Amino acid sequence: MLLTWNIQKCPRDILSSHTWPLQQCPRLWIYSVCHFPRVASQGRAMAAAPQGTPQGTPRPCPEQRRAAHIVQLLTLYRPLLDAFVIDFFTEDLWAQLPPAWQPALAGASPVQLAGLLGGGAGGAGAAWPLSLLAFAAAARALALPQRRARGPPRPPCQSCRLHPLLRRHVKPKKQHEIQLLGELLRRLSRATGCQRVVDVGAGQGHLSRFLAFGLGMEVTAVESDARLAGLAQRFDQELLRELGKARGSQPCPLTPRAPQHLAGRLDPAAPWGEFLLPPEPPGAGPAARNPLGGPGGSEDGGRVLLTGLHACGDLGPALLCHFARSPAVAAVALVGCCYMKLSTAPQQPPGYPLSASVAALPGHQLSYRAREAACHALEEFEGRLLGGSAHLRAHCYRATLESLIRAADPAKRHLGLQPGRKAHGLSFPQYAQLGLPLAGLDPAEFQLDSEAVGAMLEQQHKVVAFCTLGQLLAPAVETLILLDRLLYLREQGFHCALVPLFNPRFSPRNLVLVAARTPLATVLDRGGEDEDVEEAESPQEEQSRHNPQ
């Protein structure tokens, strides 16, 4: 319990004279923080048994109540949610903050901002207004809990849980993801009796390769980019050659059976029997046969598991819709990403909202900016605050550059400028020298060392504080999108759960939506496995192991 005192006894100067309707929010926030049911405990899956939707007004389930509270939170703070940080100076975003918040945020150190973000003490000397504390506590309470790794933080390194041949061409972050998702799919396979997996949006085939070679499953990998599908096949052939060389010399735990790769695009609007469209670019690969088959099931009448690792934009909702329509699909395991690419009403079918429950909530709409914020890496930003990272100045640089561009040409708004990955290591004049030409402007026409520019750069601490407030809301937005998907599946009568699977320090989109036509108890029970602490090899240990290259 975080805040228990009577909000009505708080000083009026804390609760009044706010730009946003904060007078309406304290009772809601205190209720949310103190009384909101804990749908999921830290590090565990939030499961939902299937429930029908009888006539009348059934009592809302915990997931529906959580979604409704999130919509209330986002509605009250929509100006903050929809604000673009690059407009910090052009739209005077600081002045739009509640007056009681401004001095506290302006005087806060990065470490204190990290404390506000993470729910800690906030660093020595931190004294936040009650309304700001309530806002932060409510945002944290309403977001789904993400699994946090025990022990000291460390960067991802070579995982010894993957065979060295399966690490080839795979970055450490992806190794972490495919190993954990692969193990979950194996449990799902045992629970459903399905040995066949269809991996949609397979990319270079890393997950498919682990499932096929490492776990012995029958895998069909579907990828819209025929060039990536071809590259995945090349990697498979490399692995098969290495297995051939090692045959007879020493035992190998890998199964010499490669995935089947198909080049095709998922059609979200088509009936489930018409699963694929031609690949992109057209003619770049052979015509793909539907791995889900026709009315009788998959190609040979059997059932399949459907999965997508970081399925981008509308691909995630399309997979869920095909699962709901297709009796050939026994279960689905989905990790979403790129929420800003989701289609919304009036586009049909919309990627958000999917469920009738969320669609019925007034104010459920999410702007492009809100959906983009849901893709942010909160743990990474918190780490930058704690370490005083130079990366933080990039936000102020971009906002200052936006002010210069808009002053020169008001029509040039929100241009997708990327002056460079290491822009934070430059002085602002150097940064502007790179950025202005990208906007079609001549840097020689600007006074990059003027007092006006200097005054903006001196407000970097305010820009960072404003970013922190947006980061506080981001997990709640992602939670709403994921709850919408879970509720959609439950409305269809499926067993479903949201599983915090990956280490969020490595993989910010770490919540896996699992759904099946049968109970998930055996899938969610990890059998005592400690997946919070992943064993890993140091570079020296990696070099000392057998090197197949």
Side-chain angles (χ1 to χ4, degrees), residues 3 9 157 184 194 229 272 294 303 312 316 341 365 368 372 379 396 410 444 449 459 488 494 503:
L3 298 174
K9 295 181 180 179
C157 52
L184 184 145
C194 295
W272 67 266
R303 296 186 306 159
C312 182
K341 296 182 180 180
Q365 296 83 0
Y368 177 91
E372 181 188 47
E379 286 78 12
C396 187
D449 57 353
Q459 298 183 60
Y488 164 76
F494 299 114
N503 186 328

Side-chain angles (χ1 to χ4, degrees), residues 363-384:
H364 71 270
Q365 296 83 0
L366 295 174
S367 65
Y368 177 91
R369 173 68 187 97
R371 287 179 277 122
E372 181 188 47
C375 299
H376 288 180
L378 185 144
E379 286 78 12
E380 180 180 355
F381 188 81
E382 183 180 356
R384 289 178 176 178

Side-chain angles (χ1 to χ4, degrees), residues 395-471:
H395 301 289
C396 187
Y397 276 10
R398 183 61 184 88
T400 303
L401 184 66
E402 182 75 5
S403 179
L404 296 177
I405 293 172
R406 295 275 293 280
D409 187 346
K412 293 184 175 181
R413 183 174 183 266
H414 292 183
L415 301 179
L417 307 180
Q418 295 182 342
R421 289 182 177 271
K422 298 183 179 180
H424 60 277
L426 305 175
S427 66
F428 179 75
Q430 292 172 325
Y431 175 87
Q433 291 282 349
L434 295 174
L436 290 170
L438 298 177
L441 299 172
D442 184 1
E445 298 179 1
F446 294 83
Q447 293 185 352
L448 301 179
D449 57 353
S450 66
E451 288 187 10
V453 169
M456 287 187 282
L457 295 176
E458 288 177 358
Q459 298 183 60
Q460 175 183 317
H461 62 293
K462 293 183 178 180
V463 177
V464 171
F466 193 90
C467 289
T468 303
L469 298 178
Q471 290 281 343

